[in-house]
Amino acid sequence: MPLSDYERLVSNIEAALPVVHQFAPPTPVLRLRRLDTLIDGAVYLKAECLQATGSFKVRGALNVMTPLKRKQGVNHVVAFSSGNHGIGVAYAAKCLKMCASVVVPNDAPERKIDRIRSLGAEIIFYDRHTENREHIAEALCRGTGAMLVKPYDDWRTIAGQGTCGAEAHRQTRGAIDSAIVCTGGGGLIAGIGSYLKAQRPETALYSAEPEGWDDHRLSFLHQRAMAAPASGSSLCDGLLAMAPGEVTLPINLRHDVTGLCASDSATAHAMRLIWDNFAIALEPSGAVALACLLASPSLFLGQRVLVTLTGGNVDSATFESALTLVNQR
């Protein structure tokens, strides 16, 4: 990635802050003494699960869609999503008085489907095993004249997601030694990493993925795009990307990101910890970064560590099943 592109991205993140904050105020940073003791340092939990939409995805959606509406007069957008990006696009469309159509897998959690529908968006279902969601979305755009809002592989989306890092930098009021970020397509860690590295180049970045869906970890090891084995469970439904994004991977390679992955049991333990201490129900995809910290605390001894809690859109059956998994250990 040329230096000019990198510098522009950091500037775009700053510019995205007021755009995002118009409809999505900053999320809090939570502290838990038990985690500080675990690493003999300081752990900062960035609670994106407390967004108006229940996840960080609204940041990118607002940053893409606001100028589409206000500068180009676009009234209809299309998105493809496993759930949270669709909710973010639907919410942004409602705020900006636009129409939205969202292509969603037919096995997506009911809670996410219901949320998209309640925000007024049209839902188009597809089979993730036999159909290509991007082709379906592109066909919808051609047929309606709508604009596509990508979940991660777009500079504007990445800049919007990066506002999470800009907020965290201001909220923690000190150097961040490491950041662990839940990772699906790579947009959030690309945005957060770009901002934090601009403030402190020594900051170490870690992607967090579920076991068997660790395409980023493999790609970082081989320094090129690698497909996920797809051998893990589907518990973390929001992180089941088969490969890193074409735009996001070069950014994350530039930042020397290290890939981590977590088991279902570790993820469930992280969900339980947050529920017991804050009464916040995390979805599994939103708990993977904390799971990686709990599984490998020795990597972060004596450090100030940022951990993203990226989503809270979990249905009761999945949540209760995860807590049961912890109780069985």
Side-chain angles (χ1 to χ4, degrees), residues 22 32 92 123 135 163 284:
Q22 184 172 3
L32 186 58
I123 295 178
H135 293 169
T163 59

Side-chain angles (χ1 to χ4, degrees), residues 79 81 83 86-87 90 100-106 108-126 136 140:
S81 170
I87 296 171
S101 301
V102 184
V103 180
V104 179
N106 52 21
E110 284 295 326
R111 179 184 173 93
K112 294 180 179 179
I113 293 170
D114 291 344
R115 190 70 191 281
I116 294 171
R117 187 175 284 124
S118 71
L119 289 166
E122 174 192 20
I123 295 178
I124 298 92
F125 289 108
Y126 78 101
I136 296 171
L140 280 170

Side-chain angles (χ1 to χ4, degrees), residues 2-325:
L3 180 60
S4 59
D5 287 342
Y6 172 75
E7 293 172 338
R8 190 179 305 116
L9 177 56
V10 175
S11 175
N12 288 346
I13 292 170
E14 291 278 7
L17 281 166
V19 177
V20 170
H21 288 165
Q22 184 172 3
F23 297 112
T27 54
V29 166
L30 307 178
R31 301 293 306 280
L32 186 58
R33 183 178 295 276
R34 174 176 172 179
L35 293 176
D36 292 349
T37 301
L38 178 68
I39 66 166
D40 191 23
V43 176
Y44 301 92
L45 303 169
K46 182 61 168 162
E48 289 296 282
C49 50
L50 299 181
Q51 278 283 4
T53 58
S55 90
F56 73 95
K57 289 288 191 176
V58 68
R59 295 177 181 273
L62 283 168
N63 197 48
V64 173
M65 293 166 62
T66 300
L68 285 180
K69 173 67 174 183
R70 295 179 177 172
K71 296 182 180 179
Q72 300 181 40
V74 173
N75 289 312
H76 187 186
V77 294
V78 172
F80 51 81
S81 170
S82 59
N84 282 335
H85 176 59
I87 296 171
V89 168
Y91 177 84
K94 184 174 183 179
C95 292
L96 296 166
K97 296 179 172 56
M98 302 171 75
C99 296
S101 301
V102 184
V103 180
V104 179
N106 52 21
D107 59 353
E110 284 295 326
R111 179 184 173 93
K112 294 180 179 179
I113 293 170
D114 291 344
R115 190 70 191 281
I116 294 171
R117 187 175 284 124
S118 71
L119 289 166
E122 174 192 20
I123 295 178
I124 298 92
F125 289 108
Y126 78 101
D127 186 326
R128 72 165 82 227
H129 303 293
T130 62
E131 296 180 286
N132 186 303
R133 64 182 188 173
E134 297 187 38
H135 293 169
I136 296 171
E138 289 165 357
L140 280 170
C141 289
R142 288 194 299 271
T144 62
M147 297 293 289
L148 180 64
V149 182
K150 295 184 177 182
Y152 48 84
D153 242 356
D154 184 306
W155 288 97
R156 299 165 299 172
T157 303
I158 296 167
Q161 317 302 34
T163 59
C164 178
E167 286 177 15
H169 171 72
R170 297 174 183 183
Q171 292 167 319
T172 53
R173 298 182 181 181
I176 296 295
D177 297 307
S178 295
I180 315 172
V181 182
C182 303
T183 304
L188 182 61
I189 191 168
I192 289 177
S194 293
Y195 195 85
L196 294 183
K197 284 281 194 179
Q199 312 307 313
R200 184 174 184 270
E202 297 82 10
T203 298
L205 303 173
Y206 296 84
S207 62
E209 298 171 289
E211 286 183 347
W213 295 94
D214 50 345
D215 46 286
H216 281 83
R217 186 185 70 82
L218 294 172
S219 297
F220 299 147
L221 285 174
H222 293 275
Q223 291 291 292
R224 60 184 176 87
M226 299 288 292
S231 58
S233 80
S234 59
L235 179 67
C236 299
D237 62 278
L239 301 179
L240 304 185
M242 285 299 299
E246 294 180 6
V247 176
T248 60
L249 181 60
I251 299 172
N252 292 323
L253 286 175
R254 176 192 176 96
H255 293 156
D256 295 321
V257 178
T258 298
L260 302 175
C261 58
S263 66
D264 282 357
S265 60
T267 299
H269 180 57
M271 293 168 67
R272 179 95 221 192
L273 183 67
I274 296 302
W275 175 250
D276 287 347
N277 287 277
F278 301 106
I280 294 173
L282 286 178
E283 62 184 275
S285 298
V288 171
L290 178 56
C292 287
L293 175 75
L294 295 175
S296 304
S298 61
L299 289 176
F300 306 99
L301 290 178
Q303 298 183 28
R304 287 164 51 92
V305 183
L306 176 68
V307 177
T308 60
L309 307 179
T310 50
N313 292 315
V314 60
D315 59 74
S316 58
T318 299
F319 186 71
E320 291 169 8
S321 175
L323 296 195
T324 299
L325 186 62

